[in-house]
């Protein structure tokens, strides 16, 4: 099943939904309407129990070249944010991808710069084409590390690497990105999307949706939690997981040598 929103193509196959930044004539640069459509698509996927993994990629040879001049102009204008919608220009919290229960996989098929890099950083797992490059670019435009990039990058690649990438705004290729832990997998561009989708399909078909949602929350909460508290919480969460139907189903699947049939979240 395929459909489209403003600058976003949406394709669902089985339990995997693929979102494509689809403005190739602008190197998939993101204006306000496209930004909102992308977040709408993420929220919709996360609310759909039939979707168990999401892949995001870009059309043709770019992932996302970042914010368009029009979007930068709109973001620089005074915002009339309300208490009910502090990020009203988006209609969603700016950190929406971090709130998702569904695994989000980025297939960085080409250049990812500025806001495009941030969207890749928000993914849980990143695949990167051998031919691709990523760059922060903010410092070269007199800007700062937007949308939590200064929070995300140190946690992914360490303080030294994050400082280097954010201060210099230099371009980083796939092999360097892999070495520093910025991405987890690389592949030639022509096989990258299928590799990311296959990874997503394995998550969708073999892993408990509830377990993945809880694990994602554990990882984020653990970044600001003392080790002892994290261990204590994990013991309580493990006991809780024993009471859900997914655990006995997994054990039965092992005994019967079949794929488990996990319940929706």
């Amino acid at each position: 099943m395929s459909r489209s929103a403003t600058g976003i193509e949406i394709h669902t196959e089985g339990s995997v939904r693929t979102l494509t930044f689809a403005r190739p004539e602008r190197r998939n640069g993101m204006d306000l309407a496209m930004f909102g459509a992308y977040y709408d698509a993420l929220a919709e996927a996360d609310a759909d129990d039939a979707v168990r993994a999401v892949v995001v990629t870009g059309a043709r040879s770019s992932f996302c070249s970042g914010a368009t001049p029009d979007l930068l102009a709109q973001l620089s204008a005074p915002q009339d944010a309300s208490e009910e919608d502090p990020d009203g220009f988006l209609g969603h919290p700016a950190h929406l991808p971090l709130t998702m229960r569904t695994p989000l996989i980025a297939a960085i098929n080409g250049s990812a710069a500025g806001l495009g890099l941030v969207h890749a950083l928000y993914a849980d797992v990143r695949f990167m084409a051998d031919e691709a490059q990523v760059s922060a670019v903010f410092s070269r435009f007199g800007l700062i590390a937007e949308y939590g990039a200064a929070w995300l990058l140190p946690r992914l690649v360490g303080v030294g690497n994050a400082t280097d990438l954010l201060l210099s705004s230099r371009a980083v290729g796939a092999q360097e990105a892999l070495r520093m832990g910025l991405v987890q997998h690389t592949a030639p561009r022509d096989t990258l999307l299928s590799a990311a989708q296959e990874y997503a399909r394995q998550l969708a078909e073999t892993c408990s949706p509830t377990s993945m949602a809880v694990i994602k929350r554990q990882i984020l909460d653990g970044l600001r939690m003392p080790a002892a508290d994290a261990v204590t919480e994990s013991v309580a969460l493990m006991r809780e997981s024993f009471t859900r139907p997914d655990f006995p189903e997994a054990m039965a699947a092992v005994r019967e040598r079949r794929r488990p049939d996990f319940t929706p979240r």
Side-chain angles (χ1 to χ4, degrees), residues 18 36 39 52 63 66 100 105-106 119 152 160 169 175 187 196 218-219:
T18 301
Y39 270 27
R52 298 195 172 187
F63 179 74
M100 291 176 61
I105 315 302
H119 286 317
L152 289 161
S169 291
Q175 290 308 307
Q218 282 182 279
I219 292 169

Side-chain angles (χ1 to χ4, degrees), residues 228-252:
D229 292 349
V231 172
T232 299
E233 180 188 63
S234 71
V235 171
L237 290 172
M238 179 63 83
R239 288 172 177 159
E240 182 182 316
S241 69
F242 287 139
T243 69
R244 290 194 291 267
D246 283 355
F247 175 65
E249 166 60 16
M251 293 298 96

Side-chain angles (χ1 to χ4, degrees), residues 70-189:
D70 288 347
L71 176 54
L72 291 173
Q74 288 172 298
L75 296 180
S76 66
Q79 298 296 323
D80 182 19
S82 66
E83 290 184 5
E84 292 78 17
D85 189 9
D87 300 290
F89 69 97
L90 284 175
H92 299 281
H95 68 296
L96 172 71
L98 295 182
T99 72
M100 291 176 61
R101 300 169 299 166
T102 311
L104 177 61
I105 315 302
I108 308 168
N109 57 304
S111 173
L115 182 60
L117 172 60
V118 174
H119 286 317
L121 298 180
Y122 272 133
D124 299 303
V125 177
R126 283 160 294 281
F127 285 67
M128 185 170 175
D130 293 333
E131 303 89 337
Q133 290 188 325
V134 299
S135 56
V137 308
F138 307 121
S139 65
R140 298 191 181 185
F141 286 89
L143 301 173
I144 55 86
E146 64 181 352
Y147 289 105
W151 186 91
L152 289 161
L153 262 176
R155 288 163 170 78
L156 295 173
V157 301
V159 172
N161 285 328
T163 303
D164 169 26
L165 297 182
L166 290 172
L167 290 184
S168 71
S169 291
R170 67 183 181 85
V172 173
Q175 290 308 307
E176 183 179 4
L178 183 66
R179 286 195 301 271
M180 69 172 62
L182 182 59
V183 301
Q184 287 68 55
H185 306 274
T186 61
R189 179 178 286 141

Side-chain angles (χ1 to χ4, degrees), residues 16-17 26 45 95 107 118 129 184 194 220 262:
V16 175
R17 182 161 295 174
R26 299 292 300 273
H95 68 296
V118 174
Q184 287 68 55
S194 61
L220 282 177
F262 290 125

